[in-house]
Amino acid sequence: MKRYTFFLLLLLTVLTLSAQPKHELRAVWLTTLEGLDWPSTKGTSAAVEQKQKQELCRILDQLKHANVNTVLYQARIRGTVTYPSRIEPWDGCISGRFGTGPNYDPLQFAIEEAHKRGMELHAWVVTVPSGKWNSYGAKNLRKTHPELMRHVGEDACLNPEDSRTADYISSICEEITRRYDVDGIHLDYIRYPETYPLRISRQQARENITRIVRSIHQKVKDLKPWIKLSCSPLGKFDDLTRYPSGGWNAYNKVCQDAQGWLRDGLMDQLFPMMYYDGKHYYPFAADWSEHRYGREIAAGLGIYRLIRSEGNWSLDAIKRQMHVARDLGLGHCYFRSRFLTDNTKGLYDFVCDFDAYPAVVPPLTTNKSTRPTSPTTLNIERTTNGDNLSWSGATDNSDGDYLTYNVYASTNYPVDINDARNIIATRLMQQNLSVRRSANDTPLHYMVTAVNRYGIESISNSQQQTGKSQQPIADSQLIPVDNYCLQVADFNELPQSDNFAIYSTQGVHLMNKPFGPMVFIGDVEKGFYELRTFNNNGISHHVGFFLLK
């Protein structure tokens, strides 16, 4: 099928709820500029600051309930910041006064609260723009770095054509990386302003912006290579063969080579601002999907368009966009948080249905990390109020030296950790969990996996859940291996299928094998795998696990 025409067929299926994947990037921009999303009250009194903290916790609770897993928190605004910086002054959005900070660290508080809820928090850094020429942030930069400032109409910006701009912006990202346990650095306006008087070639201009990206990448990754670097390019990368961008695109209009940054490993994720509909959304979403280079892209959804003053879109427009993004393998990111948590036109209700189950943030594409080992012991104490779980024995094999845990549960055994419906907790920092249950509920089987800094998950050691203390699956419970062949017990009782399929424990389909009582696996590398039946109609059934030592 020709490129970009298949999106019309996708639209025919959007009325059916897409299957919810285990791995999916679900994000939101949390705007601190003028307190648009947070905080709604400004001040430095103890009472006001407590109210700010409570408000942020309520927002995070709502996002968690909607199964959002990534929060893009605005840490740098326009030459001003929302954390105690040695480089730039406080913005006035929290204290009510520019240059004055609160009596707590908002960025640190946001990180801690997001992590408590199993969500990632990325520091959102506005890069090139500095606000109006006479704004507080611009005035400060004109004093401290006059050589970098450009006057563009009524606005001020850092000069992308001066190599020292890359050093300055990257120093801010380095400061955040060094001091905070952020999961990502998210770059906004990493481009030429659209009104910038460009007097060089577009190619040279793109190289200037890429120089900034490269400098940030080096400083961040040298300190903490597990931190994800992302940006929010314009929603249309470039003109397509059949669908022009209307003169507003990332590559040629504002000189953002965002797809090249993915290709070259300078970016780990993209959140393109796809605040359009119809032919201005769907073919360009397909273009982003086709140029992921094995990395993650979340469609930036203009949910602000639902309000009357911004277009008065129907909720169905956003619904269609979310369905198609999922069908294309893209995540979704909401602009802005308030329009989601305010349930604009019923959006929050829809999201809670569309994302009814949690999703695990996709792992970082890297060669610098190895898989952690699984917990070796899982204890379950069953009480009249529910099940109390505790586990131990997992070890990290990466340079992050830090583990969180995913917990899965099912009435079926073994627990399928690739089924999103079985996820009950992600990114737990503690090694215990209480699951509320009724005495009349069907008993649950549980699975716990370890996750390292890079988001790489341990293999699933299947656990029996019949006693208070259990050990990992014994060799006798695995499919026997003899002379590079699997001996499939009770083969005649299996549903008739076209093939067997071998999957990794992360749910990746590795290869098919002929359907029969003996399965040759001499071409399979050492590791832990799942065997499933597989027919040409897409129907698959779990058979068992096997281990090649």
Side-chain angles (χ1 to χ4, degrees):
M1 188 176 297
K2 292 185 178 180
R3 191 180 181 188
Y4 308 120
T5 60
F6 69 91
F7 82 92
L8 295 173
L9 296 177
L10 293 175
L11 287 175
L12 299 177
T13 64
V14 299
L15 295 179
T16 302
L17 186 64
S18 304
Q20 295 188 32
K22 171 183 173 177
H23 291 96
E24 190 170 57
L25 191 53
R26 301 173 183 172
V28 64
W29 280 285
L30 183 66
T31 310
T32 57
L33 170 67
E34 298 179 352
L36 288 174
D37 292 325
W38 179 83
S40 60
T41 305
K42 301 175 178 61
T44 58
S45 71
V48 168
E49 291 177 355
Q50 183 63 22
K51 187 175 181 180
Q52 291 176 348
K53 292 179 179 180
Q54 292 172 347
E55 180 188 16
L56 183 57
C57 288
R58 285 195 301 270
I59 293 171
L60 294 176
D61 284 341
Q62 286 182 275
L63 297 177
K64 175 66 175 177
H65 182 72
N67 285 319
V68 169
N69 54 31
T70 302
V71 177
L72 308 177
Y73 169 91
Q74 193 170 22
R76 183 180 193 248
I77 301 180
R78 301 288 190 278
T80 54
V81 294
T82 59
Y83 68 94
S85 170
R86 297 183 179 90
I87 301 172
E88 291 192 330
W90 282 95
D91 191 82
C93 65
I94 296 176
S95 69
R97 295 179 59 190
F98 284 98
T100 299
N103 297 304
Y104 70 103
D105 186 337
L107 177 55
Q108 181 62 32
F109 182 76
I111 292 169
E112 292 173 356
E113 293 299 322
H115 286 176
K116 286 178 185 178
R117 291 161 176 80
M119 295 187 286
E120 290 193 357
L121 190 133
H122 298 204
W124 166 9
V125 175
V126 177
T127 56
V128 174
S130 304
K132 298 299 181 184
W133 184 251
N134 288 316
S135 66
Y136 183 83
K139 284 183 177 180
N140 181 71
L141 283 168
R142 284 159 54 193
K143 291 179 182 179
T144 59
H145 293 82
E147 73 283 1
L148 298 183
M149 297 301 290
R150 290 294 305 269
H151 197 168
V152 182
E154 297 180 354
D155 298 324
C157 71
L158 294 167
N159 183 4
E161 294 165 10
D162 191 317
S163 61
R164 292 170 293 183
T165 291
D167 296 332
Y168 181 74
I169 298 175
S170 62
S171 71
I172 296 170
C173 297
E174 180 183 21
E175 178 181 60
I176 295 172
T177 300
R178 190 179 297 277
R179 290 173 50 189
Y180 294 95
D181 187 22
V182 292
D183 302 288
I185 298 290
H186 175 67
L187 308 178
D188 195 9
Y189 284 94
I190 184 71
R191 59 180 175 87
Y192 273 80
E194 54 270 28
T195 56
Y196 194 94
L198 196 62
R199 298 185 178 91
I200 59 177
S201 70
R202 297 284 172 179
Q203 179 59 35
Q204 182 59 53
R206 284 190 289 270
E207 291 175 2
N208 289 337
I209 299 298
T210 299
R211 176 174 58 204
I212 301 173
V213 173
R214 186 176 293 110
S215 178
I216 295 170
H217 180 275
Q218 180 175 345
K219 288 191 177 180
V220 169
K221 297 290 187 175
D222 281 352
L223 285 171
K224 298 176 182 177
W226 56 85
I227 285 184
K228 301 178 178 74
L229 193 63
S230 69
C231 73
S232 51
L234 299 192
K236 305 171 186 179
F237 179 67
D238 199 359
D239 291 329
L240 304 179
T241 304
R242 295 181 56 193
Y243 299 94
S245 64
W248 184 242
N249 63 67
Y251 189 69
N252 277 306
K253 179 63 178 177
V254 296
C255 305
Q256 291 177 303
D257 189 12
Q259 291 181 357
W261 299 337
L262 286 184
R263 179 195 63 232
D264 297 339
L266 294 176
M267 289 282 172
D268 302 301
Q269 300 172 333
L270 294 183
F271 299 83
M273 301 180 293
M274 306 189 67
Y275 308 154
Y276 324 102
D277 200 17
K279 67 181 182 180
H280 296 288
Y281 174 88
Y282 298 105
F284 295 94
D287 180 61
W288 289 114
S289 177
E290 291 182 4
H291 295 90
R292 281 178 289 181
Y293 299 99
R295 305 180 194 278
E296 295 302 319
I297 298 180
L301 302 173
I303 61 174
Y304 70 96
R305 297 286 210 136
L306 293 170
I307 64 175
R308 185 178 299 275
S309 61
E310 296 289 352
N312 200 28
W313 283 8
S314 69
L315 180 59
D316 284 342
I318 299 296
K319 288 181 178 180
R320 288 191 295 268
Q321 291 183 5
M322 292 179 68
H323 278 288
V324 170
R326 178 167 287 170
D327 288 338
L328 290 170
L330 304 177
H332 41 276
C333 184
Y334 307 103
F335 185 78
R336 301 180 279 111
S337 171
R338 185 179 295 276
F339 299 106
L340 175 62
T341 56
D342 281 355
N343 198 25
T344 308
K345 289 188 176 178
L347 174 65
Y348 186 82
D349 293 337
F350 167 73
V351 167
C352 290
D353 181 43
F354 184 80
D355 291 335
Y357 306 106
V360 176
V361 176
L364 190 63
T365 303
T366 178
N367 295 322
K368 293 186 177 182
S369 179
T370 56
R371 191 184 304 280
T373 63
S374 304
T376 56
T377 302
L378 172 59
N379 301 317
I380 299 95
E381 180 185 9
R382 302 192 187 274
T383 72
T384 56
N385 295 322
D387 298 338
N388 296 323
L389 282 63
S390 63
W391 55 88
S392 61
T395 56
D396 191 3
N397 296 314
S398 71
D399 52 6
D401 193 27
Y402 176 88
L403 290 176
T404 58
Y405 301 91
N406 296 337
V407 181
Y408 306 84
S410 175
T411 56
N412 297 321
Y413 180 82
V415 179
D416 185 356
I417 70 168
N418 299 308
D419 189 336
R421 294 171 297 180
N422 294 336
I423 302 172
I424 62 172
T426 62
R427 286 180 54 89
L428 283 177
M429 294 185 291
Q430 70 274 15
Q431 293 177 245
N432 56 80
L433 179 68
S434 293
V435 182
R436 301 186 72 176
R437 303 278 292 159
S438 164
N440 297 325
D441 291 338
T442 304
L444 288 175
H445 303 285
Y446 293 97
M447 190 86 70
V448 180
T449 60
V451 183
N452 66 16
R453 285 282 195 180
Y454 297 85
I456 299 175
E457 191 174 21
S458 67
I459 62 175
S460 55
N461 281 344
S462 186
Q463 309 273 342
Q464 289 283 359
Q465 312 302 331
T466 55
K468 182 174 179 180
S469 179
Q470 294 80 32
Q471 297 299 322
I473 187 168
D475 288 346
S476 61
Q477 297 172 282
L478 298 170
I479 301 173
V481 180
D482 183 32
N483 293 326
Y484 300 106
C485 285
L486 296 180
Q487 302 177 17
V488 183
D490 302 322
F491 170 77
N492 293 328
E493 299 179 11
L494 295 176
Q496 183 62 37
S497 298
D498 298 294
N499 298 285
F500 280 120
I502 295 175
Y503 285 80
S504 74
T505 55
Q506 303 300 308
V508 178
H509 181 205
L510 302 176
M511 64 185 73
N512 287 341
K513 294 291 184 179
F515 189 70
M518 302 288 287
V519 183
F520 175 73
I521 54 170
D523 53 349
V524 180
E525 296 181 357
K526 294 179 181 179
F528 193 77
Y529 301 94
E530 180 187 16
L531 184 71
R532 300 182 68 93
T533 62
F534 187 84
N535 65 28
N536 294 333
N537 294 324
I539 300 174
S540 180
H541 296 279
H542 172 83
V543 177
F545 295 97
F546 65 95
L547 177 65
L548 293 182
K549 300 179 180 180

